[in-house]
Every structure is written in structure tokens, then in C-alpha cells.
Amino acid sequence: MCGRYVSARNDHELRLLFDVERRVGESLAPSYNIAPTQWVRIVREEPGDGAAVREMRNARWGLLPVWAKDRRMASRLINARSETVADKPAFRAAAVRRRCVLPADGYYEWQRTPGGKVPYYLHGAEEEALAFAGLYERWADPDFGGDDPDRWVWTCTILTRPASDTLGRIHDRAPVVLPADMVGDWLDPEATDKDRVREMLDAVPEPHLVPRRVGPAVGSPRNNDPSLLAEAG
């Protein structure tokens, strides 16, 4: 799974990297320890009369399907298995109509060892920005009136896949990392066929990520600074 990740680039950098035309909402501060249910940045495309508009906005990490009765489900839906995402009730509608990417620098994973869990930070070989494949939803909070704009809660989830090689040694699941030349296809709002979604996911290559053992401080989301990325001695 992917339960903690890093997104430390500012909005300006991400807008350039992901060809974002429109920023919706306030900027988020860089985070070195993003935890479930926190606000994160997503990139999506809004269809229109002409070409779709690529925008960046904020969403809560943890998907709330439109039929969710309250917010409690969000913490259980931070990840979606790519193998079944087009069929599972919680994800299948978003998989064909509401896809996004979550910009990241890397993510944390814990390896089980006889001596306990050991945290690792996994990142690109050149420290390049990563694009996690994701889904998003707009959920209507029943605690707000129908005309209240605050009733609409944007939420998201990160797709995962079986891990192999070095990543599999640490954990058996890893985020789906989209190469740059696949981001446009993944975000295309016209791609609404379930089989097409499966084809895209099957075509995503295994990412070349570098694992770095880090210290135990990352275990608490209250710790959030660049020192978390330092290699453990």
C-alpha cells in the first residue's frame, strides 16, 4: 500500500511540470510526511465545449464514494488496487470518469523484519517528480444544506499495483507511477471505456525507484520536515 508520501515542490513548479492551466483553491505548504485524510494536491482535466482544461486543486486523501453516508469510510479508501479498480463498487465510477494524478517526490514504506518494521523512503533515481495514478470524487456532506458550497468535499485515492524486484523486497504493493508520456492519456476525460482503463493500467511500466532507509521519526505525522528524508545511520 501507499500510506505516507512526500510532495515538497511548490505550486509553481508543479504547474510547469504537469502543464497545469488553472489553479483552484489555496496553495498547500510543502509536506514531507503526508498522511491519510490530509489535504493533498491533485491534477485533473475538466471537460468543456472545446479542449479540456487541466487544473490543480486540493482534495482530501481518502476517497468518499458519492453513496457514502459519512466521512468515516475515507480512511479505509486511501488506496485502490489497480487490478480490480474498474469493478469494485467504491471505485468503478471514478475509474472511468474521474481520474487524476497526485504529484509526489516519493513515498514511505515499512519493511517487516525479525527486529520490527523498518521505514524506507522510495524516490526517483534523479529525484524527479512522480505522478501517482489516482481517482477523485465530489462527495456531498449531508451536514450542510443543499445550497451551501461547502457541502462539496473533494476526495481522492492512490492506485496501487503488485511490487517486484527491489520494491517487492520492502512491501508487496507499490503506487502506480505514471511515466510522463502516459499522464495525458490517464487524465483524458473522453476515455470512459472500462476496458480502455484496464489497458492503460496494464501498460504502465514498472517504476525505477531507489529505496533509502530512513529514521523512525517518519512514523508520526506530527513530524514533517526535510530531515525525515535523511538516510538512517
Side-chain angles (χ1 to χ4, degrees), residues 176-190:
V176 175
V177 180
L178 297 171
D181 61 359
M182 291 188 71
V183 169
D185 289 341
W186 180 252
L187 296 181
D188 183 3
E190 300 298 320

Side-chain angles (χ1 to χ4, degrees), residues 14-150:
L14 293 179
R15 290 189 67 164
L16 294 175
L17 286 169
F18 290 94
D19 296 321
V20 172
E21 301 170 60
R22 179 172 68 199
R23 178 61 162 104
V24 179
E26 297 181 356
S27 297
L28 294 180
S31 180
Y32 296 87
N33 198 5
I34 298 174
T37 75
Q38 293 182 352
W39 287 105
V40 300
R41 290 170 290 191
I42 65 170
V43 176
R44 61 182 285 270
E45 289 193 356
E46 176 69 26
D49 296 334
V53 176
R54 187 172 294 187
E55 68 174 32
M56 182 166 61
R57 65 164 56 240
N58 305 330
R60 290 279 189 184
W61 183 19
L63 197 77
L64 286 172
V66 293
W67 42 263
K69 293 182 172 58
D70 54 46
R71 297 175 185 251
R72 287 179 293 180
M73 182 179 288
S75 62
R76 302 196 301 271
L77 299 180
I78 62 169
N79 293 157
R81 287 178 173 255
S82 59
E83 307 97 302
T84 57
V85 71
D87 301 305
K88 291 289 186 180
F91 306 119
R92 61 191 179 195
V96 295
R97 296 194 179 276
R98 289 177 289 278
R99 296 183 300 276
C100 65
V101 297
L102 288 81
D105 295 278
Y107 70 100
Y108 300 105
E109 195 54 86
W110 280 257
Q111 181 183 29
R112 294 181 182 273
T113 72
K117 292 184 178 181
V118 177
Y120 283 84
Y121 174 59
L122 297 105
H123 58 91
E126 303 297 328
E127 302 285 356
E128 67 271 19
L130 306 177
F132 292 162
L135 310 175
Y136 70 92
E137 285 282 12
R138 290 175 69 240
W139 179 72
D141 190 332
D143 293 336
F144 290 83
D147 296 329
D148 192 328
D150 292 332

Side-chain angles (χ1 to χ4, degrees), residues 139-159:
W139 179 72
D141 190 332
D143 293 336
F144 290 83
D147 296 329
D148 192 328
D150 292 332
R151 74 187 294 250
W152 293 106
V153 181
W154 289 75
T155 65
C156 63
T157 189
I158 295 172
L159 271 61

